[in-house]
């Protein structure tokens, strides 16, 4: 059986990842593909518990290395329990964030040296890398406005200042420029139907390349 494909969706907060992940899943299912939708940190029972710790504002002063290692602990579990088995079965795995988020948030955002993240990436993932990364992009102010009306208190990341998210956005764009074969940049400032037309166009072309 042909191995599946690994698609990740990335971007700063409020770009519309959650909203558009469902669209990507439905689009692929319409092409008769088996799709597993998941997220990071999370995706497994243990991973979701680690997610709660990572987002909990009570752990506001968590050491940067603790945050980094918890992200990769959740990822190790996610790969072993969900991602690899699904890819081996031939499924398409669509994941809300993956290791590009670690380079963007812990690397550019928190200042962890890139080589340290690469070391963990190689150790935890072996050769596993996304086949396609959809980067939803918009200015930080627009993303923040979109999530501002959300009910409930801000999580540990949402409490960061605009310059943190600017570094995160810049890192995503730099990574996309460095790996144009894997990344597709989607203009997320457009109204939702237009964002989804862009996604459909990109996915159709990419699936064509795969066949
Ligand atoms: N994190 C990390 O630091 N390191 C890592 O390695 C990983 C993650 C994997 C949780 O991620 C945190 O984990 C994240 C980074 C960190 N923190 N931050 N920031 P998350 O993905 O669960 O959290 P998030 O980025 O905060 O997600 P979000 O705020 O829910 O944003 P979203 O999913 O991209 O947006 P949305 O909920 O789909 O849309 C937001 C609103 O905009 C909503 O009302 C929509 O209806 C609206 N929307 C969506 N699209 C449009 C358009 N086109 N026009 C107008 N309005 C729109």
């Amino acid at each position: 059986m042909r191995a599946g494909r690994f698609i990740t969706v990335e971007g700063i907060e409020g770009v519309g990842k959650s909203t558009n992940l469902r669209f990507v899943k439905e689009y692929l299912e319409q092409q008769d593909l088996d799709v597993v939708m998941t997220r990071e940190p999370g995706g497994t029972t243990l991973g979701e518990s680690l997610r709660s710790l990572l987002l909990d504002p009570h752990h506001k002063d968590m050491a940067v290395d603790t945050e980094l290692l918890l992200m990769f602990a959740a990822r190790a579990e996610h790969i072993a329990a969900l991602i690899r088995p699904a890819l081996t079965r031939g499924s398409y795995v669509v994941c809300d964030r993956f290791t590009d988020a670690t380079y963007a948030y812990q690397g550019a955002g928190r200042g962890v040296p890139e080589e340290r993240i690469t070391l963990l990436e190689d150790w935890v993932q072996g050769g596993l890398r996304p086949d396609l990364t959809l980067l939803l992009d918009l200015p930080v102010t627009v993303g923040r406005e979109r999530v501002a009306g959300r009910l409930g208190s801000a999580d540990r990341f949402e409490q960061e200042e605009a310059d943190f998210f600017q570094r995160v956005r810049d890192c995503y764009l730099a990574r996309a420029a460095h790996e144009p074969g894997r990344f597709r940049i989607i203009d997320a400032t457009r109204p939702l139907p237009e964002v989804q037309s862009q996604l459909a166009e990109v996915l159709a072309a990419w699936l064509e390349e795969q066949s």
Side-chain angles (χ1 to χ4, degrees):
M1 181 191 290
R2 187 180 176 189
R5 292 282 185 274
F6 186 26
I7 300 175
T8 57
V9 182
E10 298 277 1
I12 59 169
E13 61 163 359
V15 284
K17 291 182 309 311
S18 313
T19 311
N20 288 299
L21 212 71
R22 282 186 290 280
F23 175 83
V24 171
K25 178 178 188 281
E26 282 160 22
Y27 182 91
L28 295 172
E29 283 173 344
Q30 281 161 15
Q31 320 305 313
D32 283 334
L33 296 166
D34 183 61
V35 183
V36 174
M37 193 169 86
T38 187
R39 68 172 180 181
E40 288 216 346
T44 64
T45 310
L46 176 56
E48 290 294 327
S49 298
L50 293 172
R51 178 187 178 92
S52 301
L53 290 174
L54 280 158
L55 299 190
D56 188 346
H58 288 112
H59 303 308
K60 188 172 149 292
D61 298 323
M62 183 185 294
V64 173
D65 283 347
T66 309
E67 181 179 289
L68 174 69
L69 291 167
L70 285 176
M71 288 293 176
F72 271 104
R75 186 161 297 139
E77 185 68 15
H78 197 197
I79 291 169
L82 190 147
I83 298 176
R84 270 200 210 284
L87 293 174
T88 305
R89 283 198 309 273
S91 299
Y92 277 57
V93 176
V94 180
C95 188
D96 189 341
R97 298 191 183 282
F98 194 63
T99 308
D100 291 301
T102 313
Y103 282 101
Y105 283 80
Q106 282 65 53
R110 305 266 195 242
V112 173
E114 194 177 316
E115 314 79 70
R116 197 168 294 176
I117 300 173
T118 304
L119 198 81
L120 288 165
E121 181 181 37
D122 291 341
W123 176 30
V124 169
Q125 297 171 217
L128 178 71
R129 299 290 183 276
D131 296 298
L132 171 69
T133 297
L134 301 165
L135 174 59
L136 300 176
D137 180 60
L138 47 59
V140 171
T141 45
V142 181
R144 303 211 97 187
E145 275 162 23
R146 283 190 189 167
V147 295
R150 200 149 48 189
L151 294 174
S153 52
D155 70 36
R156 225 166 48 77
F157 291 94
E158 288 165 354
Q159 290 179 351
E160 290 296 334
E161 301 295 330
D163 62 342
F164 175 90
F165 291 104
Q166 189 59 54
R167 292 197 298 281
V168 170
R169 181 188 184 204
D170 292 345
C171 176
Y172 272 132
L173 290 171
R175 291 181 68 73
H178 189 67
E179 274 189 80
R182 171 166 71 92
F183 277 89
R184 301 289 183 279
I185 300 178
I186 307 293
D187 179 359
T189 59
R190 312 301 304 157
L192 194 54
E194 283 185 39
V195 171
Q196 296 185 336
S197 305
Q198 292 179 65
L199 284 168
E201 210 171 296
V202 160
L203 287 168
W206 181 76
L207 286 170
E208 183 66 31
E209 283 168 28
Q210 306 298 299
S211 61

